[in-house]
Amino acid sequence: KQHLFDCSADENLRMATGPAQGCYVFASGGTTSRPKYLLYSVEEFEESKRVFGEGIRAVGINRDDVVVNFLKAGGFYTGFLAVNAGLEETGCRILSMSCNQPEQQSLEYLQTFRPNTIIAFPSGLIRLAQAAERNGCDITLEKIFYAGEYISKPDIDYVCGVFKAKTFQSFGYAAVETGPIGYQCPHCSETEHHVTEEWCLVELNEQQEVLVTVLGRTLFPVVRYNVGDLAQWVSEPCLCGRTSPKLRLLDRSAKCIVLPAGSISFQDITNVTATIPGLTSIYQAVVADGQDGAVEISLRVECRSTEDAARPELRSELEESCHAHIHALRDCWQANRIGSFTVELLGPGGIEGNQRTAKTKRIVDLRKPTT
């Protein structure tokens, strides 16, 4: 990652193998760090569109579907453009809605055009379902596809219940830095993806981190890029008959709360929130320096409703469950290495998403670097 920061296309063109002409400038999401700017030639983006479209077809989107692209548009982000381009390959009817507009307007669009399929980030899906429920909107979305964020089983059940969905599945595994990495077929489990081996080479290092080398890009070469995910290979043949390698994603490796006695991962927190009715998997942990070298942690979690957010017993249950089930938190607390741990419950939309992508920044680390 540091190479891409050092050679970000807003700073210099040292990574470019030719003139920066006939190309796009895109930026990584910046959810866990500052954005990195990269170049894609027009031809390279066209090829990524074809590969991405093959993956979207494999997951079950076809010409009979009316599909809402509910990703954030603009801000140098590829997500919205890549999904639109991939959908072109399926022959479906594309509703380029984005999630840029207020939720009320989104609901009106859904009621007007009556799509049967939506592609979105989980936080956007949860908030859209909450808005539909608050407004008493009767909206059916037969197929729901997501990517980019973790979503818990209770949240999946909730979204599918509101929209009466029969399918809830990942629409692909990708990164701005690399383009498409993997796709699902109907036989993939929630976190499994076939590798798009005509576009990239995927390796796992000794720490089980995903490393991606892009075969289809030469203007801004990406070689053995650490995407920031932990994974393992799936050895069993897939029932779909495809022979491409298959990955099972495990957790994010690139960002966690590092503490004096261990670390707290994304999964540690989501495992707790998923067990408490009334909470969603939309959360944000703010970490700051405390007194005498101790750490202060504030965990902010969005609830299903404003009524749930006002329940003091729910806040107490979450706080107690974090201490009981997150080992690094408990150990550091007992060793007096955590000065304070507070929990805040918020209503729907209480945590502001990334301005460019609408993803939730899960961890905000305000600590000063140690020398």
Side-chain angles (χ1 to χ4, degrees):
K1 278 185 169 62
Q2 191 58 46
H3 291 146
L4 292 186
F5 283 127
D6 295 340
C7 301
S8 183
D10 61 326
E11 298 285 344
N12 59 72
L13 295 174
R14 288 191 305 222
M15 271 185 64
T17 62
Q21 299 166 338
C23 64
Y24 291 96
V25 178
F26 290 131
S28 65
T31 304
T32 57
S33 58
R34 67 182 176 89
K36 301 175 287 292
Y37 291 89
L38 312 100
L39 304 181
Y40 277 69
S41 74
V42 171
E43 293 78 14
E44 289 167 351
F45 192 60
E46 282 293 309
E47 178 62 12
S48 73
K49 157 188 166 179
R50 183 192 65 78
V51 173
F52 199 37
E54 288 182 354
I56 291 177
R57 283 201 305 271
V59 82
I61 295 178
N62 56 58
R63 64 178 58 253
D64 296 326
D65 293 316
V66 180
V67 186
V68 172
N69 181 352
F70 199 62
L71 300 187
K72 192 76 177 280
F76 292 94
Y77 193 53
T78 59
F80 184 82
L81 295 175
V83 167
N84 259 17
L87 288 172
E88 290 175 9
E89 301 292 303
T90 70
C92 71
R93 189 191 311 168
I94 305 168
L95 302 183
S96 300
M97 246 174 65
S98 85
C99 63
N100 292 37
Q101 64 281 333
E103 290 167 346
Q104 184 61 44
Q105 191 172 356
S106 296
L107 295 174
E108 291 172 4
Y109 285 149
L110 293 175
Q111 290 175 312
T112 298
F113 291 99
R114 298 185 297 279
N116 73 316
T117 304
I118 190 170
I119 291 177
F121 289 138
S123 53
L125 287 169
I126 293 168
R127 289 164 180 159
L128 188 65
Q130 289 169 328
E133 196 171 43
R134 285 196 306 272
N135 289 274
C137 297
D138 185 13
I139 295 172
T140 298
L141 293 167
E142 178 189 349
K143 304 175 186 177
I144 297 177
F145 297 100
Y146 77 100
E149 294 177 306
Y150 175 83
I151 183 168
S152 67
K153 181 62 166 59
D155 280 342
I156 293 173
D157 293 341
Y158 170 71
V159 171
C160 288
V162 171
F163 293 125
K164 301 178 283 292
K166 298 177 181 178
T167 297
F168 192 100
Q169 201 167 349
S170 166
F171 70 83
Y173 179 35
V176 174
E177 297 88 342
T178 64
I181 301 171
Y183 61 93
Q184 288 202 330
C185 71
H187 298 283
C188 287
S189 69
E190 180 184 347
T191 61
E192 292 179 352
H193 293 80
H194 291 277
V195 174
T196 53
E197 55 183 346
E198 70 270 37
W199 174 260
C200 65
L201 171 70
V202 174
E203 304 169 81
L204 301 183
N205 63 15
E206 292 181 356
Q207 291 75 40
Q208 296 296 97
E209 295 171 315
V210 178
L211 308 180
V212 180
T213 297
V214 184
L215 307 175
R217 284 177 53 205
T218 57
L219 177 61
F220 217 73
V222 176
V223 179
R224 306 195 80 233
Y225 176 71
N226 190 329
V227 182
D229 293 314
L230 298 175
Q232 64 187 76
W233 293 112
V234 178
S235 58
E236 299 83 5
C238 188
L239 294 175
C240 73
R242 293 178 176 86
T243 58
S244 54
K246 199 171 177 182
L247 277 174
R248 181 179 294 115
L249 298 176
L250 302 175
D251 199 358
R252 289 289 294 174
S253 65
K255 194 69 175 177
C256 61
I257 303 174
V258 178
L259 298 173
S263 61
I264 301 174
S265 71
F266 288 130
Q267 200 62 48
D268 289 332
I269 299 174
T270 52
N271 285 345
V272 171
T273 59
T275 62
I276 301 176
L279 302 182
T280 72
S281 50
I282 303 174
Y283 68 83
Q284 186 175 79
V286 181
V287 190
D289 290 316
Q291 295 182 345
D292 301 324
V295 177
E296 296 181 350
I297 303 174
S298 174
L299 178 61
R300 309 168 70 229
V301 183
E302 282 192 22
C303 296
R304 286 267 185 268
S305 64
T306 53
E307 292 77 17
D308 285 329
R311 292 167 52 198
E313 70 276 11
L314 191 60
R315 187 189 65 78
S316 298
E317 183 180 359
L318 174 59
E319 187 172 350
E320 292 170 5
S321 187
C322 286
H323 280 289
H325 299 290
I326 301 178
H327 301 306
L329 173 65
R330 183 180 65 238
D331 294 344
C332 285
W333 182 265
Q334 293 173 348
N336 295 318
R337 303 303 297 271
I338 294 179
S340 66
F341 175 73
T342 59
V343 168
E344 182 182 6
L345 299 185
L346 303 169
I351 298 175
E352 185 178 358
N354 182 287
Q355 291 295 314
R356 294 177 53 252
T357 67
K359 290 184 184 180
T360 302
K361 188 169 185 177
R362 300 290 189 177
I363 297 174
V364 179
D365 198 331
L366 303 178
R367 291 176 291 182
K368 295 179 181 179
T370 56
T371 58

